[in-house]
Amino acid sequence: MIQGIFFARFLPQQGTKVVHQSPPGCIAPEPGVDKPRFFDFETMAEYIIPRQGFCNRFVTICDPEDKHRILGYPVCIKDEKYERNEFMFNFCIVIGVDVDMTPYEAVVRRLASTFTEMEIQNQFLSQEDLSTSKDRRSIAALIEIIKEDLNNYNECMIPLFPIHRHPPPVKSWHVPISKMKFTEIMDDTWDLTMKKVIAQIDGIKDVRRIAHDADVALDLTKIALQHLLYYDSILMLDLFLFGNIYAPAPEINDFIIDKDGMQDECSNYVYINGPRLPNLYLCRLFTSLCTSRTVKEWLKMHLDQGFPVLNYVDVRRFIQFGVIKGLLYRIHKYPVSSQYLASLVTGQSVKIEGGDLLQNYTGGCHCFDQITAEKNIGDAKIMDQLRRFPKGDVEIIYR
């Protein structure tokens, strides 16, 4: 039987520490637990997280009293995002010294490979204390389940990944933005279509353009992106055009007071090569957006005031930052034809004069972004087509 299981990691300021253990207090002291430990962990710590030469391989250790055997697979992940450019951990199983360890080697290897992959993908181990996700299962609960299931049933099946809500439909005019470095986790086992789609995600191309450039059918591209959405690997934004309209949301106050250093984060993301302006200018730019002004008109207004925004700021990234952080919201434009709406109410098919191209888009449910993506025409041409409808028949709804 497995007598104990524990998760240890190397902390730069404290050395090797037991983070979680089952049963409680079996390896390291815990408040409120008064029971003898299997062995003195301090004397074994250098073997639990050993030198790098012994990392990423199966390791067995016997305690000084020769009563327990520790089976582990210490892992060292090298990455500049970690302090000292590395993250070291070990999931260990404790068994009796007389117990055959052969069946448990595969278990220890699987624990190491699984948690390594989870750490690489979303820092599941290193960011445990910082995670606020309610769907996340705690590591303490996981190792308890592993120990009990292996002891009672000789197998263990647990949902390591949370069950997410089904993502909203992917539209052809949406623009996907990566939330992780896919190049670090993709390998030869990944679906070929998924790899072709991911290669085209750059934060600029819309779904239709991605499908075209990846040489993948649009429906398959949407399915691939929906999978990535489900696992929270990407987020979707609207297509950025200079004819778009944005306005500040109430959360803009967080930016004004520089909550969590948001202003410096924004400046690092949006300023282009050259001199950086004081963060006050970013506040000015955000607060000057409004519901009655397109991005193009907003740029011209600042140019007329002597501030050439394009010389300092990547406007697309500036707007993206505002939308992602919830500082800005988008106002969409919807064409509405009274004749077409009447035909929908009565159920009678009507062919409206001048509406050959856009009639089916004038029911109040289709925004200009959709028309742009599906008809491959810009705002100016859309307006030209709408002017061909009978005079006074079409109105533009902003919402």
Side-chain angles (χ1 to χ4, degrees), residues 23-156:
C26 67
I27 308 297
E30 281 194 16
V33 178
D34 185 16
K35 58 188 298 186
R37 292 178 285 164
F38 293 153
F39 48 81
D40 182 5
F41 178 77
E42 298 302 325
T43 63
M44 309 288 289
E46 62 178 312
Y47 305 107
I48 303 301
I49 305 290
R51 297 176 181 176
Q52 290 190 15
F54 291 94
C55 286
N56 303 313
R57 64 184 62 195
F58 180 63
V59 174
T60 68
I61 317 141
C62 289
D63 74 321
E65 297 182 3
D66 203 29
K67 293 181 178 180
H68 300 93
R69 177 176 278 117
I70 306 162
L71 314 180
Y73 194 101
V75 174
C76 178
I77 302 175
K78 294 184 176 295
D79 197 298
E80 294 180 355
K81 65 188 174 187
Y82 299 118
E83 190 172 353
R84 297 191 181 181
N85 298 326
E86 62 185 18
F87 177 73
M88 303 177 72
F89 70 92
N90 198 354
F91 280 86
C92 297
I93 286 176
V94 181
I95 59 176
V97 73
D98 297 326
V99 175
D100 181 12
M101 68 179 183
T102 305
Y104 298 104
E105 179 177 350
V107 174
V108 172
R109 289 180 178 273
R110 176 59 63 88
L111 284 173
S113 62
T114 299
F115 283 105
T116 298
E117 190 67 25
M118 295 174 72
E119 172 63 24
I120 291 173
Q121 289 192 27
N122 56 21
Q123 296 181 265
F124 185 84
L125 304 177
S126 59
Q127 298 294 319
E128 179 188 14
D129 295 335
L130 304 178
S131 175
T132 58
S133 173
K134 295 180 180 179
D135 295 326
R136 176 191 173 109
R137 190 183 292 266
S138 71
I139 298 174
L142 288 175
I143 63 173
E144 175 69 22
I145 293 172
I146 292 168
K147 179 176 73 72
E148 294 299 323
D149 283 4
L150 289 175
N151 280 340
N152 294 325
Y153 310 111
N154 297 322
E155 64 179 7
C156 179

